[in-house]
Amino acid sequence: MAAAALIGLGAAIPLDRLAQGPAIPSRIPATFPRTWAYGTASHATFAPHAMVASNNRLAAEVGAEIMEQGGNAIDAAVATGFALAVTFPEAGNLGGGGYMVIRMADGRVAALDYRETAPLAATRDMYVGANGKLTGESVIGPRASGVPGAVAGMLEAHRRYGVLPVAKVLAPAIRLASEGFIVDSTFFRSLSGDKYRIEGFAGKSVFFPDGVPPQIGSRLRQPQLARTIGLISDSGAVVFYRGSIADSIVAEMRRDGGLITKADLGRYRPVWREPIRSSYRGYSLITMPPSSSGGITVTETLNILEAYGPAAPFGTAERVHAVASASQRAFVDRNSKLGDPAFVGVPLSTLTSKSYARSVAKSISRDHADPTTRVASRMREGNETTHWSVVDPSGNAVATTSTLNDLYGSGVYVSGGGFFLNDEMDDFTTQPGTPNMFGLIQGEANSIAPGKRMLSAISPTIVLDPGGSLLLVTGARGGPRIISATSQIILNVIDHRMSLADALSAPRLHHQALPDSIRLEAGGFDPAVIARLRAMGHYVYELNSGIAAAASVIRVKGGYEGMDDPRSHGGAVGF
Ligand code: DON
């Protein structure tokens, strides 16, 4: 490839040059193959002061409303989170958990781990049947649920950083639950697609009252959920973890053989953690540490790519090979070495170091693929979820992702409480060597133990420009593909100088080490590129489904652009 065709920003831009240069790098229009679904049809929303981007537009509106009332980005993120539990129950939740990365305009940073934990009665092999095979109980039904962290996490973020009273922050969610919202075709389709998961439990009467979802255009009211959020607003998290809602959760467990007890709920605590801070070609990254694997794996992937050399143009076989090979190696580490840091030693500083990345980058050939088995032996030596991004008028930023794991979680719906419980237990290594619902083959570090957090791929990330100013707030839903989408959006913005709309619309690839293959979004890559990748020895196949769905905010001249992923149906709302 001609050197002139390479787009690389090289090393950190010296400060004296920054002073003269523009704070926001200009963007270059991207070109995608004509066969690509999101070629030119995507648009970001511009607003001068503040922005919320979410997989659900009604919830984004709530966040913007709270900021217009004087709330900051944390108030808005929490308000959006509770609203998502109402208007986007496939993923928004009270019965799940998540992660949040915060950067205040004064430079303070924080990471909040509000991931679920395994119940105290959980055991390492609880999902392995007498025949030695997985029983399936980690994906549906009450035994699939970890102890929910969302309510404690949201309220803890608000307690430490919010400025509005909690009653004001939760009021829009209560209103949406009690007055209802209009069922659109997206929600109707989502419910229809997961009927089998919901109808076996108490949510049937809410979501399939006559055997079918509420009609498109009708108003869905959720009075039980309105009452639950009202109780939380009045009494705080204690009502959920020790009071009447805890009783409802435990009653639901008793009905169907689940493990979560009042003792589990009573001991649940979200954890403040030091965010991972790293850099990529002079830009700074602030991202989520374990118990999520997301921040480490995004950081490691980007560090390897930086060490590998200047970026080849977007969409070329050279670029796909580099990104996929870096990702493959980062996932080998992810799948074998990471777990809840309260239970296993996590080699965080090694895996995020530039020197380690340099040694890994040297192992990537320029023109041929390495099988994961060989990569893994060398390295030993040395759906459902939702993301939202918020920036407030002062420049405080929040990236947060919350999950039930599968759509509508375990399907179990807490009668009287009005919400679904997660099936997050499937994110553990339920059986070494056996793939989980995302095809991930994980190791002992992530095996089940009482009170342990299951490893996540959630990757909320905030990027600062080389001058240290906020540039990008991002993250995604989509299991391990979250890591790929988040990394590639950052690469698109930094290496390929794409606009936010192009960065989110660009075709994505995914390599998670095992299965040992590059998955490409169908229509997004030229057949000649695919042929060249195959000639390099990559096993390549095209996916008809999207690789994750992000919701991001970027700083632009005069304000912010926000956008939900074109693979999703939400929106961005600002003012
Ligand atoms: O925490 C994780 O990595 C998974 N439970 C996320 C699941 C997910 O993103 C499903 N969404 N599409």
Side-chain angles (χ1 to χ4, degrees):
M1 179 186 316
L6 298 173
I7 302 170
L9 301 183
I13 299 171
L15 283 174
D16 56 340
R17 271 189 37 212
L18 268 178
Q20 304 150 18
I24 303 168
S26 55
R27 301 277 147 215
I28 300 169
T31 47
F32 307 127
R34 268 204 305 236
T35 46
W36 178 232
Y38 309 121
T40 52
S42 303
H43 301 282
T45 302
F46 171 82
H49 305 297
M51 184 70 71
V52 185
S54 162
N55 302 141
N56 181 267
R57 194 184 167 84
L58 288 171
E61 284 171 4
V62 163
E65 172 189 329
I66 285 295
M67 289 196 283
E68 278 182 309
Q69 290 172 16
N72 66 10
I74 290 81
D75 293 316
V78 171
T80 302
F82 276 93
L84 284 162
V86 179
T87 58
F88 197 56
E90 67 176 54
N93 65 79
L94 304 185
Y99 297 91
M100 182 181 289
V101 172
I102 297 171
R103 179 182 183 266
M104 302 302 281
D106 63 11
R108 280 177 295 155
V109 295
L112 182 63
D113 177 334
Y114 59 100
R115 181 68 156 173
E116 300 92 325
T117 54
L120 291 169
T123 56
R124 183 181 180 280
D125 297 319
M126 62 186 278
Y127 300 114
V128 183
N131 61 0
K133 295 207 161 45
L134 287 175
T135 57
E137 287 180 327
S138 67
V139 292
I140 191 161
R143 285 168 64 82
S145 300
V147 182
V151 172
M154 289 289 151
L155 294 190
E156 174 59 17
H158 175 266
R159 186 192 67 76
R160 192 176 277 197
Y161 288 99
V163 293
L164 290 183
V166 77
K168 209 161 188 174
V169 172
L170 268 50
I174 299 170
R175 186 187 70 221
L176 283 163
S178 64
E179 293 175 11
F181 65 94
I182 301 300
V183 173
D184 61 12
S185 54
T186 303
F187 187 35
F188 182 89
R189 263 189 233 112
S190 159
L191 284 170
S192 308
D194 274 83
K195 186 173 182 212
Y196 74 98
R197 182 171 285 275
I198 300 169
E199 69 182 354
F201 306 99
K204 181 172 188 288
S205 62
V206 178
F207 299 107
F208 298 94
D210 308 309
V212 286
Q215 296 257 310
I216 295 169
S218 68
R219 187 169 280 272
L220 176 69
R221 295 189 176 82
Q222 299 173 80
Q224 291 180 3
L225 183 55
R227 183 172 165 276
T228 295
I229 304 175
L231 287 171
I232 294 168
S233 172
D234 294 343
S235 317
V238 69
V239 69
F240 189 92
Y241 289 92
R242 292 169 192 266
S244 62
I245 305 170
D247 291 335
S248 303
I249 294 172
V250 171
E252 206 58 59
M253 291 285 123
R254 290 228 179 92
R255 231 186 315 276
D256 276 314
L259 299 186
I260 300 172
T261 61
K262 286 281 286 264
D264 286 311
L265 290 161
R267 73 196 287 279
Y268 183 83
R269 300 280 180 279
V271 184
W272 287 104
R273 302 191 187 275
E274 207 42 54
I276 295 174
R277 303 205 63 157
S278 65
S279 66
Y280 181 68
R281 305 200 204 268
Y283 290 71
S284 303
L285 263 65
I286 304 155
T287 186
M288 193 70 216
S291 63
S292 182
S293 68
I296 287 190
T297 315
V298 168
T299 300
E300 189 179 333
T301 306
L302 296 184
N303 280 346
I304 296 169
L305 284 166
E306 187 182 67
Y308 185 75
F314 184 83
T316 57
E318 288 73 11
R319 182 60 164 170
V320 174
H321 167 71
V323 174
S325 302
S327 186
Q328 174 195 34
R329 282 147 174 93
F331 265 92
V332 166
D333 284 332
R334 181 224 179 263
N335 295 346
S336 59
K337 298 183 180 135
L338 303 187
D340 181 347
F343 287 74
V344 291
V346 170
L348 189 147
S349 52
T350 304
L351 297 183
T352 57
S353 77
K354 298 283 185 194
S355 58
Y356 179 68
R358 276 194 296 276
S359 71
V360 176
K362 278 201 200 109
S363 78
I364 303 177
S365 130
R366 299 278 147 180
D367 57 8
H368 70 82
D370 283 311
T372 291
T373 43
R374 196 178 318 145
V375 169
S377 66
R378 279 201 228 114
M379 290 180 73
R380 261 201 290 279
E381 290 151 26
N383 270 350
E384 203 56 42
T385 306
T386 187
H387 177 84
W388 59 110
S389 296
V390 185
V391 181
D392 72 17
S394 307
N396 303 311
V398 176
T400 187
T401 316
S402 185
T403 180
L404 288 169
N405 203 21
D406 233 329
L407 286 168
Y408 305 98
S410 62
V412 176
Y413 187 81
V414 177
S415 321
F419 56 92
F420 289 100
L421 289 173
N422 67 83
D423 60 348
E424 222 72 62
M425 292 295 284
D426 193 64
D427 275 347
F428 276 119
T429 306
T430 47
Q431 189 175 38
T434 307
N436 74 356
M437 76 165 81
F438 300 111
L440 281 174
I441 297 181
Q442 311 184 90
E444 278 301 331
N446 186 32
S447 61
I448 303 174
K452 189 174 176 182
R453 286 164 149 82
M454 55 296 281
L455 191 64
S456 171
I458 286 174
S459 315
T461 302
I462 295 174
V463 180
L464 311 182
D465 69 18
S469 299
L470 180 69
L471 178 65
L472 179 70
V473 187
T474 193
R477 70 192 295 199
R481 299 173 189 185
I482 291 171
I483 292 169
S484 301
T486 305
S487 304
Q488 287 162 43
I489 289 166
I490 295 169
L491 295 171
N492 290 345
V493 166
I494 297 180
D495 283 343
H496 304 299
R497 296 268 175 98
M498 289 186 197
S499 67
L500 188 68
D502 284 350
L504 261 67
S505 305
R508 295 182 187 140
L509 64 105
H510 180 64
H511 196 317
Q512 62 179 43
L514 293 173
D516 191 352
S517 58
I518 306 178
R519 294 173 233 192
L520 299 176
E521 288 181 322
F525 296 86
D526 282 329
V529 167
I530 297 175
R532 166 101 183 92
L533 289 164
R534 289 189 173 132
M536 286 172 155
H538 287 286
Y539 184 76
V540 182
Y541 68 93
E542 292 188 272
L543 279 180
N544 285 315
S545 56
I547 291 178
S552 311
V553 177
I554 196 168
R555 188 167 60 89
V556 294
K557 205 165 186 303
Y560 299 97
E561 281 184 347
M563 191 169 145
D564 184 33
D565 205 296
R567 297 157 189 79
S568 170
H569 298 92
V573 182
F575 59 88

